[in-house]
Amino acid sequence: MVMGTDAGDEFHSGAGRHLPHTVIHRIASGVAWGDVGPMVRGCSPPRESGAMKLKLVLATASAMGVLMSAAWANDSNTLYLEQIGEGNLADVHQSSGGGNNDIGTAGDPITQAGNHNSFSFSNSGSGSGTNNDVIDVEQLGNNNIFSSAAWNGANNNVIDDVEQIGNANRVSVSMNGSDAGLVDDVLQQGNGNHLVIEQSGSNSSGNKVLSVSMIGDNNGLPPDGNGDWRRAGTYLFQSGNSNVVAKSSITGSNNIGPAGDSNTYRNTHRIEQRGTGNTASAVTLGSLGLDPSTDYNRIWIFQTGDGNTSDVSQGLSAASFGNKAQVTQTGNDNTGNGLQSGDANTIAISEIGSHNSVTVNQTGDGNSATANITGNSNGGGVMSGGAWSVAASNGLTSGLIVQDGFSNTALYTVSGSDSNQFAFLQDGNLNSITGSVSGSGGNQAAVAQTGSSNTVSFTQIGSSNNLAVSQ
């Protein structure tokens, strides 16, 4: 373990003050215990064998340098760090050794209190990079940065309980080419914050993001004109198999996302998963566009691969409007798209099988659309007979659900059935459609309801049934 200040490593604060740069490295070979500068307390020389616990308390009231050398020749080490003041910089690097090291604990977290502080952890060793956990980190203040990077087969690493309380803070987590990485309980509370988590690698699997929360206003980086998705308020990316985003939420107003030549990519909240067996859930609460006529606080879940599932909920407060949501699933030819504008709208799409297609468009408040499909080639096909007539006269195609108004509900369930075609329109308020399909398949249903308080409930069992309703 080596920590120290190099002659050329100085942090220049906004006031022009030179502050120490704290660098912490993990090494495999022993280094003699060195001198400890007067700004470090609570440290003791390492033991000859067994785990080592190191606690540092650093203050930056003066520009006096900090020099320290130590050896971590074994695994199962624990690092504690507290920095108070502005412009602190701490780097931790794991490149060899046995792994199983911890940074911070729930009872004694890594703490940086002040502004313009930075904490980073890198993990590059195959084998040695396993089971290294960042247990608890607190950054209190503005313009702080937390970053973590693991690669080269660094598996089973955990980022747990990272809190940034303040404004203009940044979180960046990268797990590249690693398996079973876990990110849990990341919270940014304040305004103008930004968060990126990337778990990638074509052979990676079992990576999880269990809980990511952003609370505040004006989150996300200003658009750069290039439609850079990473500039969204929250951007999560996973590639490989069996990855999970259990919960990602944004609560606040005037959150922004990247924009190119148009608002196509103005996504406050973007989740991207590439691979098989992935799941994602996203929530945006109480978001108000910068300009309600053009800006959209959009959740976009983009999935490629087989057997992916998504759930989107957005704009669940009276202050919300101009929201949009999109869910896309590709792989084994499944597609799912959702678009909503207004308040308190909800879309839930689940597709299991091949060649299924669902698109939901909702405008207004309090609308709910749910599609649960098990089977193959449902939606997206060609309609005929009375179902085709109702659909065509209302501008519908198979697999499309449109709701325009207030408090409309649509629930469509296909249970182990193939090649069913459906299209629904509700234009008005307090309308309801409930449909259930089972059997060998080939059924069709088209329902168009205009006005208020209309209700349709139907069940299709068997094959080649054709339902058409217009009210």
Side-chain angles (χ1 to χ4, degrees):
M1 177 83 176
V2 176
M3 183 199 66
T5 54
D6 298 327
D9 287 331
E10 292 183 322
F11 183 91
H12 298 267
S13 71
R17 184 157 54 102
H18 296 272
L19 300 176
H21 174 176
T22 302
V23 186
I24 303 172
H25 296 282
R26 174 72 165 89
I27 61 174
S29 59
V31 176
W33 179 258
D35 296 329
V36 180
M39 291 172 59
V40 181
R41 67 181 184 271
C43 304
S44 59
R47 289 168 287 178
E48 295 181 358
S49 63
M52 174 184 175
K53 293 185 178 180
L54 177 64
K55 182 168 184 176
L56 309 177
V57 181
L58 308 178
T60 58
S62 69
M64 187 179 299
V66 180
L67 295 174
M68 177 178 171
S69 297
W72 279 9
N74 301 289
D75 57 6
S76 302
N77 299 297
T78 302
L79 170 68
Y80 307 88
L81 172 67
E82 180 179 354
Q83 292 178 311
I84 302 172
E86 296 191 358
N88 296 299
L89 182 62
D91 298 330
V92 181
H93 181 58
Q94 170 82 33
S95 61
S96 59
N100 298 299
N101 298 298
D102 291 336
I103 300 174
T105 67
D108 200 344
I110 299 294
T111 301
Q112 290 181 318
N115 303 323
H116 299 283
N117 294 309
S118 175
F119 178 85
S120 64
F121 170 61
S122 60
N123 192 350
S124 63
S126 178
S128 65
T130 62
N131 297 299
N132 294 302
D133 301 336
V134 179
I135 302 299
D136 202 335
V137 176
E138 295 179 355
Q139 290 181 315
L140 310 175
N142 303 322
N143 295 289
N144 293 309
I145 297 173
F146 172 85
S147 64
S148 174
W151 66 96
N152 191 29
N155 301 325
N156 300 296
N157 295 294
V158 174
I159 306 295
D160 185 16
D161 198 2
V162 175
E163 290 188 2
Q164 290 182 323
I165 309 298
N167 303 322
N169 294 306
R170 304 287 180 264
V171 168
S172 175
V173 176
S174 175
M175 297 177 175
N176 186 4
S178 60
D179 295 335
L182 175 65
V183 179
D184 187 19
D185 201 11
V186 176
L187 169 66
Q188 289 182 310
Q189 186 167 340
N191 302 323
N193 296 307
H194 176 55
L195 183 149
V196 175
I197 297 175
E198 296 177 290
Q199 296 171 315
S200 60
S202 59
N203 295 319
S204 297
S205 65
N207 292 300
K208 296 180 180 180
V209 176
L210 296 185
S211 178
V212 174
S213 301
M214 182 177 287
I215 302 173
D217 303 332
N218 302 299
N219 295 300
L221 299 180
D224 63 355
N226 298 318
D228 183 1
W229 293 328
R230 290 170 53 90
R231 300 176 72 84
T234 294
Y235 175 71
L236 308 178
F237 175 86
Q238 294 176 320
S239 64
N241 304 320
S242 301
N243 297 305
V244 174
V245 176
K247 177 186 177 183
S248 179
S249 67
I250 298 178
T251 302
S253 298
N254 298 320
N255 295 301
I256 60 177
D261 296 332
S262 66
N263 288 305
T264 303
Y265 300 116
R266 189 176 287 279
N267 304 303
T268 297
H269 204 160
R270 180 177 175 90
I271 299 173
E272 184 172 349
Q273 294 176 315
R274 299 179 180 272
T276 63
N278 299 306
T279 63
S281 178
V283 179
T284 299
L285 304 176
S287 293
L288 180 69
L290 291 173
D291 180 352
S293 65
T294 59
D295 290 347
Y296 308 106
N297 287 292
R298 177 184 292 184
I299 297 173
W300 189 347
I301 299 178
F302 178 78
Q303 297 173 314
T304 62
D306 302 332
N308 298 303
T309 61
S310 303
D311 179 71
V312 178
S313 180
Q314 186 172 10
L316 304 180
S317 82
S320 301
F321 57 91
N323 298 302
K324 289 187 176 181
Q326 179 171 333
V327 178
T328 302
Q329 296 172 310
T330 61
N332 214 15
D333 296 320
N334 292 305
T335 61
N337 299 282
L339 179 66
Q340 56 190 7
S341 59
D343 303 334
N345 295 302
T346 301
I347 296 174
I349 299 173
S350 176
E351 296 174 312
I352 301 174
S354 304
H355 306 285
N356 298 300
S357 178
V358 178
T359 298
V360 178
N361 294 337
Q362 296 187 142
T363 303
D365 302 333
N367 297 302
S368 176
T370 302
N372 295 316
I373 296 178
T374 303
N376 302 315
S377 302
N378 295 290
V382 177
M383 306 186 80
S384 61
W388 172 86
S389 179
V390 169
S393 62
N394 288 279
L396 301 174
T397 56
S398 181
L400 179 61
I401 300 172
V402 177
Q403 298 189 132
D404 189 346
F406 304 92
S407 300
N408 298 298
T409 62
L411 172 61
Y412 183 67
T413 303
V414 177
S415 301
S417 186
D418 301 335
S419 302
N420 299 289
Q421 309 304 326
F422 60 94
F424 307 133
L425 168 67
Q426 296 190 121
D427 189 353
N429 306 321
L430 299 169
N431 297 299
S432 175
I433 297 174
T434 302
S436 176
V437 180
S438 61
S440 58
N443 300 292
Q444 299 183 41
V447 178
Q449 298 188 131
T450 303
S452 299
S453 301
N454 298 297
T455 300
V456 170
S457 180
F458 67 90
T459 300
Q460 293 177 315
I461 301 175
S463 62
S464 303
N465 297 295
N466 192 303
L467 170 71
V469 177
S470 180
Q471 295 179 320

